[in-house]
Amino acid sequence: MTTQRAQPDLLYSEEEEALRAAVRDLLTDHCDAPGVIARMESDRPHDPDLWKALGEGMGLAGLLVPESLGGQGATHREVAVVLEELGRAVAPAPYLTSAVVATEALLACPADEAAGLLSALASGRTLGALAVALSVGPGTPFRSVRIEDGALHGELSGIADAVTADVLLVPAQDGGLYAVEPGAGGVTVTPQVSLDLTRPVATVTFDGAAARRLTPDAEAAVRRALRAGAGLLASEQLGLAEWSLTETVRYLKERKQFNRPVGGFQALKHRLAHLWLETVSTRAAARNAADALATGSADADVAVAVAQSYAAPVAVHVAEEALQLHAGIGMTWEHPVHLYLKRAKADSIAYGTAGSHREALAALVDLQAP
């Protein structure tokens, strides 16, 4: 059901600010930059202790799940706040893929099996992943696998966080969406080379994998999931941009050249002011998308397209400027700025590129190219 908003609410409520403070405190204790870099160099891309603290300890894995199924019954606005903080920390946790995208797909499934999986995901003890390539945007075609005698056959690539998922939600050529356990027979998950090692992608091969049907309408479930993923990804990109700008300003205030702070040079002031304008505009677009999704607005598709078409290039630009303005120290592996640039670049092609969202927006508002 969709509703018409009289006016979007772009401000943060007291509850949302309290949630932000709690998540930021947790990430300060469990997700420092040296720890993230060390985990990137290991064979375990995600931090299980961090996920346990987020998912089970704070109950954030179930924000979008109704209370009747063991979730928090919150909205996309609260999820957006969490993603802003996760973006600020470049947290190696599968929150977006499991607590948002997989959860949204299951919310579109009427079967009791889906309700059971929702409860499992809400607990934080089970991780889910939608078996659709990370680059696919809402409303665009996606690959599926064939089904024979109730078993799945085929290969899907570019699946985000499949390496740590406990259940995969797989679209099949009969139009249905199926639940598959990666640990069962007939499923092979092969990691792919990924620019952003904190959100790994993989190829999943099905060779007679047993599957449970969740809904006969995979297209609707996938579209709902990808729309939420694209809209809320803008909040993560906002967090990336905010950290990059804040740390760059702090560094330029401390770094001196010719016995004066580098940040005092007029040319750099202009660059920082431009980055600030881009960042606050991203906040408005991201908040609008989160509010539209939360209220079920008829303008949600437009809000998501606007947010993603704007936030993606801004996050990359601010991170690039942060790397350059940190000069030599920014080029080192030990400095965390490269984490933000890699995540921003990877996010810029996740759930549809900025260009594809602009094309979608043009179609939504009936603005055709000449």
Side-chain angles (χ1 to χ4, degrees):
M1 180 179 179
T2 59
T3 59
Q4 188 71 36
R5 293 180 297 168
Q7 184 175 353
D9 183 3
L10 305 185
L11 301 178
Y12 299 97
S13 67
E14 291 184 8
E15 293 78 9
E16 290 165 354
E17 291 292 3
L19 175 61
R20 179 195 306 283
V23 175
R24 186 173 295 187
D25 287 345
L26 185 148
L27 292 173
T28 300
D29 294 337
H30 292 81
C31 191
D32 60 347
V36 175
I37 293 173
R39 185 157 293 280
M40 287 174 59
E41 297 173 322
S42 72
D43 58 355
R44 301 185 67 185
H46 293 149
D47 185 343
D49 294 332
L50 173 62
W51 176 253
K52 185 174 182 180
L54 288 168
E56 296 184 48
M58 296 187 68
L60 301 182
L63 283 181
L64 293 177
V65 179
E67 292 183 64
S68 60
L69 296 177
Q72 304 299 320
T75 72
H76 301 81
R77 291 175 58 92
E78 289 78 17
V79 173
V81 171
V82 174
L83 283 169
E84 285 181 31
E85 294 307 310
L86 294 178
R88 288 179 64 93
V90 198
Y95 189 83
L96 180 64
T97 50
S98 182
V100 177
V101 176
T103 296
E104 284 281 349
L106 288 172
L107 287 170
C109 301
D112 292 338
E113 181 74 32
L117 287 175
L118 279 170
S119 297
L121 263 59
S123 72
R125 291 185 289 273
T126 298
L127 293 173
L130 180 65
V132 173
L134 181 61
S135 59
V136 175
T140 58
F142 53 88
R143 293 185 61 186
S144 57
V145 296
R146 71 181 189 277
I147 183 164
E148 298 175 2
D149 300 324
L152 299 181
H153 300 264
E155 182 178 282
L156 300 171
S157 60
I159 310 303
D161 293 332
V163 292
T164 54
D166 300 301
V167 61
L168 294 170
L169 308 180
V170 186
Q173 292 175 359
D174 67 345
L177 186 68
Y178 291 81
V180 179
E181 296 179 4
V187 182
T188 303
V189 179
T190 306
Q192 296 177 254
V193 177
S194 175
L195 174 64
D196 176 19
L197 297 178
T198 63
R199 180 172 288 150
V201 295
T203 296
V204 184
T205 304
F206 303 94
D207 185 12
R212 309 185 302 275
R213 194 179 198 189
L214 301 173
T215 178
D217 190 359
E219 184 173 350
V222 169
R223 185 184 185 283
R224 172 174 175 166
L226 297 183
R227 184 178 74 163
L232 294 175
L233 178 63
S235 293
E236 177 180 285
Q237 291 162 326
L238 169 61
L240 295 170
E242 286 184 332
W243 183 93
S244 300
L245 177 58
T246 300
E247 287 301 305
T248 302
V249 171
R250 182 190 62 77
Y251 175 76
L252 293 180
K253 285 181 177 180
E254 297 175 354
R255 178 76 169 88
K256 290 187 177 181
Q257 193 174 60
F258 306 115
N259 203 31
R260 61 178 291 189
V262 174
F265 292 102
Q266 192 71 15
L268 296 188
K269 286 183 178 181
H270 288 168
R271 287 170 69 174
L272 293 173
H274 182 64
L275 296 178
W276 181 82
L277 286 172
E278 288 187 335
T279 301
V280 296
S281 297
T282 298
R283 180 184 298 117
R287 292 301 294 168
N288 182 51
D291 186 67
L293 290 168
T295 57
S297 169
D299 296 328
D301 287 343
V302 171
V304 168
V306 168
Q308 230 358 268
S309 62
Y310 190 82
V314 167
V316 173
H317 181 219
V318 180
E320 287 176 339
E321 287 285 83
L323 179 66
Q324 185 178 63
L325 293 174
H326 274 83
I329 192 174
M331 296 294 179
T332 64
W333 181 258
E334 290 76 14
H335 196 282
V337 70
H338 67 90
L339 299 175
Y340 293 82
L341 180 55
K342 290 172 182 174
R343 175 66 71 86
K345 290 291 286 185
D347 281 357
S348 69
I349 60 172
Y351 306 118
T353 63
S356 66
H357 283 285
R358 284 192 290 269
E359 289 180 4
L361 178 61
L364 287 167
V365 299
D366 196 24
L367 182 61
Q368 301 302 319

